[in-house]
Amino acid sequence: MSSYQHIKEEAYQANMQLPKLGLVLFTFGNVSAVDRSQGVFAIKPSGVPYEDLSPEKMVIVDFDGNTVEGSLRPSSDTKTHAVLYKHWESIGGIVHTHSTYATAWAQAQRDIPIYGTTHADHLTTDVPCAPPMDDAMIQGNYEYETGFQIMNYLQEKGMSYEEVEMILVGNHAPFTWGKDAKKAVYNSAVVEEIARMAFLTEQIRPQVPRLQDSLIKKHFERKHGPDSYYGQ
Amino acid sequence: MSSYQHIKEEAYQANMQLPKLGLVLFTFGNVSAVDRSQGVFAIKPSGVPYEDLSPEKMVIVDFDGNTVEGSLRPSSDTKTHAVLYKHWESIGGIVHTHSTYATAWAQAQRDIPIYGTTHADHLTTDVPCAPPMDDAMIQGNYEYETGFQIMNYLQEKGMSYEEVEMILVGNHAPFTWGKDAKKAVYNSAVVEEIARMAFLTEQIRPQVPRLQDSLIKKHFERKHGPDSYYGQ
Amino acid sequence: MSSYQHIKEEAYQANMQLPKLGLVLFTFGNVSAVDRSQGVFAIKPSGVPYEDLSPEKMVIVDFDGNTVEGSLRPSSDTKTHAVLYKHWESIGGIVHTHSTYATAWAQAQRDIPIYGTTHADHLTTDVPCAPPMDDAMIQGNYEYETGFQIMNYLQEKGMSYEEVEMILVGNHAPFTWGKDAKKAVYNSAVVEEIARMAFLTEQIRPQVPRLQDSLIKKHFERKHGPDSYYGQ
Amino acid sequence: MSSYQHIKEEAYQANMQLPKLGLVLFTFGNVSAVDRSQGVFAIKPSGVPYEDLSPEKMVIVDFDGNTVEGSLRPSSDTKTHAVLYKHWESIGGIVHTHSTYATAWAQAQRDIPIYGTTHADHLTTDVPCAPPMDDAMIQGNYEYETGFQIMNYLQEKGMSYEEVEMILVGNHAPFTWGKDAKKAVYNSAVVEEIARMAFLTEQIRPQVPRLQDSLIKKHFERKHGPDSYYGQ
């Protein structure tokens, strides 16, 4: 058995959640799962329909984006995953989708404002939207640069990838991550729902204020940090 | 068998309706069912996925929020349920969700105006939206204060909890209740549909008037009160 | 066997289509089917969940709204159905729902403008929205008056019930009809889709013009009239 | 066995995808598949519900719109398909739907602006919306003229049918095509999702700019052209 079997299985199971959660049309999305000890990750093969996937079809790739095992071509977004795994040492899984509402905010090139506790349960800031890259970066090593665009924008906003596990890439779509592939998929569903609620909130009341700081802090700390009391 | 088996079963069945009705993503919601004679209620354990629930996993809690039976931690919103059961003597079930449209109105901090008979079939007033609490209340015993915020706002509006079985908590999300857990779940689906219709109504005609009083009265009395003629 | 078995079966089958088509939440809708030779119609019992229905539970009612057979109370909207069957001699089925988009237009008290061929395939005019009734009519024999409000508004607009098989009742919701219950259900799905498309059309282009006359005529005549060439 | 069996099967399978993808209500759509060597195509019979379809019910039609084999009347849009097959020599399948969001843009008579990479993955231009035809064309050989309207508008915009595989017909609805019926169905789902995202994008940010050229080029070339690296 391949020494990568566990991450192939993890990536497969996580990928299969995307259509179940309504986050992808056709093959518009991909999930990867990392094995830090071996320095590789398993990722969806490019353009293969979800119903045809199996753990064996996952492609094993190193942190420079080179295929280590697997007969299929990996996701076209593989280099973005590779860059993030290489530089963010504590993440275990990454998801990219074109989910409808989050992608609409990315197309609008707007951060998603924090309007309620559903948002604050998951992060204490607006969901950041990295600006589109300049022409040179796009024409160059595009997917590689996308990874750096994500990292640089988080840093510029003073955000930590351990606290903010989701971002929009302007004109493109959301990326999410987490301690494992399952958590990254969870975050991709969360950002879609936050995006949908924020859209509706602004329609219902165009000049709506952002959430007050005390409520942001309270809800985030209910779920996270030393005194959290959500979950088992 | 536990003397709480009947409310564990009731709370379990009602909780399982939330994902079926499309009212929750992941674990973003909870239902409780009360036993007045024993002074306790059964509530969903915190953060446990719906597909993993069973009647045995429901947690039994008293009206001060203390766990009486059960090995799991109860919902993080348990104290809000406890406060409402303690002060509202005729309710039998409570539901909290983050359903999309009702939550968007809560985030907009707006009452949902009564625009049609679908709304009037269930209540004769706008759906109230309690304002967000002040910083001291949020930093203090937050979920406990949420219960009082709900009670105080209903009272301030001159509404009775027996006539108005749903409320939005500003920046947060809806709470509903009823004579039993099933009715409370019914009300959580109703407030979501009312919220969706009101959003669309204002989009279709921004300066739309509220429903005329005679129609409010007629539709509510068709379903409620001494001369009702809806149902069996 | 009851001499009404055929319309009980027809009404049952048609009622069961409403939840399948996503047109009702809980029991917010009803279908009836008529037997002209016996002067009665079969209608859904009031407040009974769709999953508990059976042909035997349908209630047989005459054109004055009196129950002829059946142990359950008929739909609270029964008198509206009775009035329409009594005065419109060629209809065979009637549907009332609170489907989301059509109800939002009714709440906005607006006719649904004819914006495209999807609409023109079914009727050559805007979908009429009858104004809410005056207080006296509402406080009086409400459901009976609703039937007259529908008939009178169609007449006032110069429309024939044989050509326009759908209407919105202002502040309330849609009613549709047809040669049989199945066609009436078809029309209830059509008005919901037309309502949704018209809402989106106005959002995408606020000052959008109505459909040109030649296109209205062409599409309606493709499906209806002596030279129609749609269907088998 | 009919010498047309393979295209009957292809057209049947492709038609059955439309309801699965949520692109049609009732019979509001049709797919055809061509056999160039025999100069015919197989198309859905008119007005037959999807659940009653079978490969045998597909109608075989030549490029002038004459039925060659089959006992049912072909889709009322058959002549539009015939015109496109006759003049566009490399297409293998055509789809027409009234999918909700794409139809709303058609009703608004607007091209769908290119706002993001989801769009650019499929075409490098706005999705064109052909203007409604003039009265004479509508009153004449309407479906035949619709085919020419589509061809002429593409030509007027300087677009090739091999690069742009989707169009809206103003006041009507989308048409899509591709190398085979399956690809044409894929494109009909893509245009619906693009239409939905563009609607949301403009709601979230009314004066949003179109996508920058470098990103359009990059994403299209990832999926298409000599250096594409998407898929297997």
Side-chain angles (χ1 to χ4, degrees):
Chain A
M1 203 206 281
S2 160
S3 70
Y4 310 126
Q5 191 60 30
H6 61 297
I7 50 172
K8 287 183 180 179
E9 185 67 36
E10 181 184 352
Y12 168 71
Q13 295 293 351
N15 269 291
M16 294 308 286
Q17 288 302 306
L18 296 187
K20 279 192 194 160
L21 288 162
L23 298 173
V24 291
L25 174 68
F26 298 125
T27 60
F28 302 1
N30 45 73
V31 186
S32 65
V34 82
D35 179 331
R36 292 271 165 202
S37 67
Q38 302 191 77
V40 297
F41 60 94
I43 192 166
K44 183 179 175 296
S46 182
V48 176
Y50 288 95
E51 60 269 30
D52 297 340
L53 284 188
S54 65
E56 288 64 41
K57 288 184 180 162
M58 297 296 121
V59 187
I60 303 299
V61 180
D62 69 21
F63 295 173
D64 294 317
N66 303 305
T67 295
V68 170
E69 184 182 292
S71 54
L72 296 169
R73 184 190 287 179
S75 164
S76 57
D77 299 299
T78 293
K79 284 187 187 165
T80 309
H81 292 241
V83 166
L84 297 182
Y85 282 126
K86 189 165 192 170
H87 292 85
W88 290 352
E89 296 185 1
S90 68
I91 65 171
I94 298 173
V95 176
H96 172 51
T97 77
H98 288 224
S99 67
T100 309
Y101 288 87
T103 301
W105 282 90
Q107 293 191 162
Q109 300 179 40
R110 286 188 59 195
D111 296 351
I112 306 176
I114 184 166
Y115 286 136
T117 62
T118 318
H119 187 135
D121 282 336
H122 299 94
L123 72 171
T124 60
T125 65
D126 296 350
V127 177
C129 180
M133 291 175 276
D134 63 33
D135 289 355
M137 288 165 81
I138 291 167
Q139 287 153 8
N141 197 343
Y142 173 62
E143 291 80 9
Y144 184 78
E145 298 287 4
T146 299
F148 282 102
Q149 184 77 353
I150 290 171
M151 289 196 300
N152 293 341
Y153 190 66
L154 269 197
Q155 191 167 26
E156 185 185 319
K157 300 278 271 189
M159 294 172 176
S160 149
Y161 74 85
E162 288 171 306
E163 289 174 3
V164 175
E165 298 186 327
M166 57 190 72
I167 198 169
L168 308 178
V169 176
N171 283 145
H172 190 166
F175 284 81
T176 62
W177 50 89
K179 65 176 182 193
D180 55 26
K182 188 179 174 183
K183 180 71 191 306
V185 169
Y186 173 91
N187 286 332
S188 70
V190 165
V191 73
E192 177 66 2
E193 183 65 8
I194 285 174
R196 193 177 170 208
M197 285 179 172
F199 155 69
L200 290 168
T201 301
E202 295 190 350
Q203 296 289 314
I204 290 168
R205 184 177 167 197
Q207 301 304 327
V208 62
R210 288 170 79 261
L211 193 60
Q212 70 201 90
D213 284 344
S214 60
L215 212 41
I216 293 174
K217 192 157 174 284
K218 182 66 185 186
H219 265 265
F220 193 75
E221 291 179 350
R222 286 198 339 164
K223 279 206 169 183
H224 308 269
D227 298 321
S228 70
Y229 50 96
Y230 184 90
Q232 300 301 325
Chain B
M1 202 205 284
S2 160
S3 69
Y4 310 126
Q5 191 61 29
H6 60 297
I7 50 172
K8 288 183 181 179
E9 185 67 36
E10 182 185 350
Y12 167 72
Q13 295 293 351
N15 269 291
M16 294 307 285
Q17 287 303 306
L18 296 187
K20 279 192 194 161
L21 288 162
L23 299 173
V24 290
L25 174 68
F26 298 125
T27 60
F28 302 1
N30 46 73
V31 187
S32 65
V34 81
D35 179 332
R36 292 272 165 201
S37 67
Q38 301 191 79
V40 296
F41 59 94
I43 192 165
K44 184 179 175 296
S46 182
V48 177
Y50 287 95
E51 60 269 30
D52 297 340
L53 285 187
S54 65
E56 288 64 41
K57 288 184 180 161
M58 297 296 121
V59 187
I60 303 299
V61 180
D62 69 20
F63 295 173
D64 294 317
N66 304 306
T67 295
V68 171
E69 184 182 293
S71 54
L72 296 170
R73 185 190 286 181
S75 164
S76 57
D77 299 299
T78 294
K79 283 187 187 166
T80 309
H81 292 240
V83 166
L84 298 182
Y85 282 126
K86 189 165 193 171
H87 292 85
W88 290 352
E89 296 185 1
S90 68
I91 65 171
I94 297 173
V95 176
H96 173 50
T97 78
H98 287 225
S99 67
T100 309
Y101 288 86
T103 301
W105 282 89
Q107 292 190 161
Q109 300 179 41
R110 286 187 58 195
D111 296 352
I112 305 175
I114 184 166
Y115 287 136
T117 62
T118 317
H119 186 135
D121 282 338
H122 299 96
L123 72 170
T124 61
T125 65
D126 296 350
V127 177
C129 180
M133 292 176 275
D134 63 32
D135 289 355
M137 288 166 81
I138 290 167
Q139 287 153 7
N141 198 342
Y142 174 62
E143 291 80 8
Y144 184 78
E145 298 288 3
T146 299
F148 282 102
Q149 185 77 353
I150 290 171
M151 288 197 301
N152 292 342
Y153 190 67
L154 268 197
Q155 191 167 27
E156 186 184 318
K157 300 277 273 189
M159 294 171 176
S160 150
Y161 73 85
E162 288 171 307
E163 289 175 1
V164 175
E165 298 186 328
M166 57 190 71
I167 198 169
L168 308 177
V169 175
N171 283 144
H172 190 167
F175 284 82
T176 62
W177 51 89
K179 65 176 183 193
D180 54 27
K182 189 179 174 182
K183 181 69 191 308
V185 169
Y186 173 90
N187 286 332
S188 69
V190 165
V191 73
E192 177 66 2
E193 183 64 9
I194 286 175
R196 192 177 170 208
M197 285 179 172
F199 154 69
L200 290 168
T201 301
E202 294 190 351
Q203 296 288 315
I204 291 168
R205 185 178 167 195
Q207 302 303 327
V208 61
R210 287 170 78 262
L211 194 59
Q212 69 201 90
D213 285 343
S214 58
L215 211 43
I216 292 173
K217 192 158 174 284
K218 182 66 185 185
H219 265 264
F220 192 74
E221 291 179 350
R222 286 199 339 165
K223 279 207 170 182
H224 309 269
D227 298 322
S228 70
Y229 50 95
Y230 184 90
Q232 299 301 325
Chain C
M1 203 206 283
S2 159
S3 70
Y4 310 125
Q5 191 61 29
H6 60 297
I7 50 172
K8 287 183 181 178
E9 185 67 35
E10 181 185 350
Y12 167 71
Q13 295 292 351
N15 270 291
M16 295 308 286
Q17 287 302 306
L18 296 187
K20 279 191 194 162
L21 287 162
L23 299 173
V24 291
L25 174 69
F26 298 125
T27 59
F28 302 1
N30 46 73
V31 187
S32 65
V34 81
D35 179 332
R36 292 271 165 202
S37 67
Q38 301 190 77
V40 297
F41 60 93
I43 192 165
K44 183 180 175 297
S46 182
V48 176
Y50 287 94
E51 60 269 28
D52 297 340
L53 285 187
S54 65
E56 288 64 42
K57 288 183 181 163
M58 298 296 121
V59 187
I60 304 298
V61 180
D62 69 20
F63 294 172
D64 295 317
N66 303 307
T67 295
V68 170
E69 185 182 292
S71 54
L72 296 170
R73 185 189 286 179
S75 164
S76 57
D77 299 299
T78 293
K79 282 187 187 166
T80 309
H81 292 241
V83 166
L84 297 181
Y85 282 126
K86 190 166 193 170
H87 293 84
W88 289 352
E89 294 185 2
S90 68
I91 65 171
I94 297 172
V95 176
H96 173 51
T97 78
H98 287 224
S99 66
T100 308
Y101 288 86
T103 301
W105 282 90
Q107 292 191 161
Q109 299 179 40
R110 287 187 58 195
D111 296 352
I112 306 175
I114 184 167
Y115 286 136
T117 62
T118 318
H119 187 135
D121 282 338
H122 299 96
L123 73 170
T124 61
T125 65
D126 296 350
V127 177
C129 179
M133 292 175 275
D134 64 33
D135 289 355
M137 288 166 81
I138 289 167
Q139 286 153 8
N141 198 342
Y142 173 62
E143 291 80 9
Y144 184 78
E145 298 287 5
T146 299
F148 282 102
Q149 184 78 352
I150 290 170
M151 289 197 300
N152 292 342
Y153 190 66
L154 268 197
Q155 192 166 27
E156 186 184 318
K157 301 276 272 190
M159 294 171 176
S160 150
Y161 74 86
E162 289 172 305
E163 289 174 2
V164 175
E165 298 187 327
M166 56 190 71
I167 198 168
L168 308 177
V169 175
N171 284 144
H172 190 167
F175 284 81
T176 61
W177 51 89
K179 65 175 184 196
D180 54 26
K182 189 179 173 181
K183 181 69 192 307
V185 169
Y186 173 91
N187 285 332
S188 68
V190 165
V191 73
E192 177 66 3
E193 183 64 8
I194 286 174
R196 191 176 170 209
M197 285 178 173
F199 154 69
L200 290 169
T201 301
E202 294 190 350
Q203 296 288 316
I204 291 167
R205 185 178 166 195
Q207 302 303 325
V208 62
R210 287 170 80 260
L211 194 59
Q212 70 201 90
D213 284 343
S214 59
L215 211 42
I216 293 174
K217 194 159 173 284
K218 182 67 184 185
H219 265 264
F220 192 75
E221 291 179 351
R222 288 201 335 168
K223 279 208 170 182
H224 308 269
D227 298 321
S228 69
Y229 50 96
Y230 183 90
Q232 300 301 324
Chain D
M1 204 205 282
S2 161
S3 69
Y4 310 126
Q5 191 60 29
H6 61 298
I7 50 172
K8 287 183 180 177
E9 185 67 36
E10 181 185 351
Y12 168 71
Q13 295 293 352
N15 270 291
M16 295 308 286
Q17 287 301 307
L18 296 187
K20 279 192 194 162
L21 288 163
L23 299 173
V24 291
L25 174 68
F26 298 125
T27 60
F28 302 2
N30 45 73
V31 187
S32 65
V34 81
D35 179 331
R36 293 270 165 201
S37 67
Q38 301 190 80
V40 297
F41 59 93
I43 192 165
K44 183 179 175 295
S46 181
V48 177
Y50 287 95
E51 60 268 29
D52 297 340
L53 285 187
S54 65
E56 288 64 41
K57 288 184 179 162
M58 297 297 122
V59 187
I60 303 298
V61 181
D62 69 21
F63 295 173
D64 294 318
N66 303 306
T67 295
V68 171
E69 184 182 293
S71 55
L72 297 169
R73 185 190 285 180
S75 164
S76 58
D77 299 299
T78 294
K79 283 186 187 166
T80 309
H81 292 240
V83 166
L84 297 181
Y85 283 126
K86 190 166 192 170
H87 293 85
W88 290 351
E89 295 184 2
S90 68
I91 64 171
I94 298 173
V95 176
H96 173 50
T97 77
H98 287 225
S99 66
T100 309
Y101 288 86
T103 301
W105 282 89
Q107 293 190 161
Q109 299 178 41
R110 287 188 58 196
D111 296 352
I112 306 176
I114 185 166
Y115 287 136
T117 62
T118 318
H119 187 135
D121 281 337
H122 299 95
L123 72 171
T124 61
T125 66
D126 297 350
V127 177
C129 180
M133 291 174 276
D134 64 33
D135 289 356
M137 288 166 80
I138 290 167
Q139 286 152 10
N141 197 343
Y142 173 62
E143 291 80 8
Y144 183 78
E145 298 288 4
T146 299
F148 283 101
Q149 184 76 355
I150 290 170
M151 289 196 301
N152 293 341
Y153 190 67
L154 269 197
Q155 192 166 26
E156 187 185 319
K157 301 277 272 191
M159 294 171 176
S160 150
Y161 73 86
E162 288 171 307
E163 289 175 2
V164 175
E165 298 187 329
M166 57 190 71
I167 198 169
L168 308 178
V169 176
N171 283 145
H172 191 166
F175 284 82
T176 61
W177 50 90
K179 66 176 182 192
D180 55 26
K182 189 180 174 182
K183 180 70 193 305
V185 169
Y186 173 91
N187 285 331
S188 69
V190 166
V191 72
E192 177 65 2
E193 183 65 7
I194 286 174
R196 192 177 170 208
M197 285 178 173
F199 154 71
L200 290 168
T201 301
E202 293 190 350
Q203 296 289 315
I204 290 167
R205 184 176 167 198
Q207 302 303 326
V208 61
R210 287 170 81 260
L211 194 58
Q212 69 201 92
D213 284 344
S214 59
L215 211 42
I216 294 174
K217 192 158 174 285
K218 181 67 183 185
H219 265 264
F220 193 74
E221 291 179 351
R222 288 204 331 170
K223 280 207 170 183
H224 308 269
D227 298 321
S228 70
Y229 50 95
Y230 184 89
Q232 300 301 325

